[in-house]
Amino acid sequence: MATSTAFDPFSQSFTLLLRDGTPFNITLFELDEFILYSVQISINFAAQLGASLLFLIVLLLLTKPDKRRAPIFTINAVALTLNFIRTLLQCLYFTGPFNKVYAYFAVDYSMVSAPYYANQVATTVLTWVLLVCVELSLLLQVRVVCVTVRRAYQHLILAFSVLVAGLAISFRLALCIENSKSILSLESPIPLQWLASATNITTSISICWFCVVFIIKLGFALNQRKKLGVGSFGPMQIIFIMGCQTLIIPAIFSIIQYFVDLPDMDANVLTLVTIFLPLSSLWASASLDYSKKSSAKPIFHGKLLGSYGTATTGPLVGGKSSIGPLSPSETATSRTSQSPPPSPSNAHDQGIHLDLEAQRMAELGFLHEGK
């Protein structure tokens, strides 16, 4: 028996009825798209939920009690908690009555109870509060890393950072208000697309701006420390490095969301920034603790250095130590491998530079003065 080649079984439609008995048709393709979108976005938010909870536990366990009163710790912990609750509410939405097949295609949400409306409004509000916490954390770190910049440039950078952050927060607040109204009135969110796009753009600009600040300041800081003879990374440079690393990835996500068709790609941007920001504070805090412990120990290395920087256990007598004579090759290697000691002016500048960094780190909360 011949079959029609024009028939596509995957695009056939079926009929559903509205409450008043009015029929309407949907296709298998539309149903597949609905199910696929629900599965993809549920996986997305579930992954964000698990990552937020994991990093919150890590932050609470690795932060010492005396540093839990620091403003940066409070902001990061609150941000992770808010993001956990926000993604949990999103998961409840896509597994709740709002996302039923009939309710979606018939646009009939009469069976949705009031708590589910409250969950959706709370999600939009929490997203705005989360953005406020993220911007505050970034502003605090920019204020820290700009301590060694000229005061005029410092004020200019901070002013522009506040402006960029304020624009992102303002657009998110406007979207929060309008989106909450559309949820409660069950209106279509399509008229809000321009506002949602403007919100994503301002948020992307904000993240990219802070990323550029950290990258440029990192380059200047490394060059300055090289001139001052400071070789190792301090907590301030850790802030730069982690700021670059943790903002480059969200910046990439904020840009590719306009070119990649994935459900709620913009939601990943805030989550990535939220879970990456505590890493810089944890690393910098650990660096400060290590530096303090190292400085408290006796410096035996300095006592074991002879006049040529070669290990000895006593003074050189006739060119020999208690270990043995120094060969000409060892002497030459020692002389060339050791960098010359910093001049008094460089040492003074280095001390001022490090004191400024330590002072600003104490203000941020990585270090408590007097401890």
Side-chain angles (χ1 to χ4, degrees), residues 61-79:
L61 291 178
L62 296 184
T63 304
K64 294 186 176 181
D66 61 332
K67 293 183 175 64
R68 291 178 183 173
R69 298 188 298 269
I72 193 67
F73 169 81
T74 303
I75 293 175
N76 289 336
V78 169

Side-chain angles (χ1 to χ4, degrees), residues 128 169-179 192 195 199:
W128 174 74
I169 292 173
S170 300
F171 273 95
R172 177 63 67 176
L173 178 60
L175 180 62
C176 171
I177 295 172
E178 295 299 325
N179 196 22
L192 299 178
L195 183 56
T199 301

Side-chain angles (χ1 to χ4, degrees), residues 287-365:
S287 175
L288 278 171
D289 292 338
Y290 179 79
S291 299
K292 289 161 63 178
K293 290 178 182 179
S294 299
S295 62
K297 295 178 181 180
I299 307 177
F300 294 106
H301 179 69
K303 296 181 180 180
L304 296 177
L305 292 181
S307 58
Y308 294 103
T310 306
T312 62
T313 56
L316 292 174
V317 180
K320 298 182 179 181
S321 68
S322 58
I323 294 179
L326 287 173
S327 65
S329 61
E330 289 174 342
T331 306
T333 303
S334 177
R335 284 176 177 175
T336 56
S337 62
Q338 292 290 330
S339 59
S343 63
S345 60
N346 280 349
H348 177 69
D349 293 340
Q350 175 181 330
I352 295 176
H353 182 78
L354 297 179
D355 287 343
L356 285 173
E357 290 185 353
Q359 179 183 358
R360 192 64 85 205
M361 294 293 291
E363 292 177 5
L364 184 61

Side-chain angles (χ1 to χ4, degrees), residues 55 58-64 67 72-73 76 238-239 242 275-289 366:
F55 274 82
V58 169
L59 179 65
L60 294 176
L61 291 178
L62 296 184
T63 304
K64 294 186 176 181
K67 293 183 175 64
I72 193 67
F73 169 81
N76 289 336
I238 291 171
I239 294 292
M242 292 304 297
I275 65 178
F276 281 159
L277 279 176
L279 293 179
S280 59
S281 60
L282 288 174
W283 188 11
S285 178
S287 175
L288 278 171
D289 292 338
F366 294 115

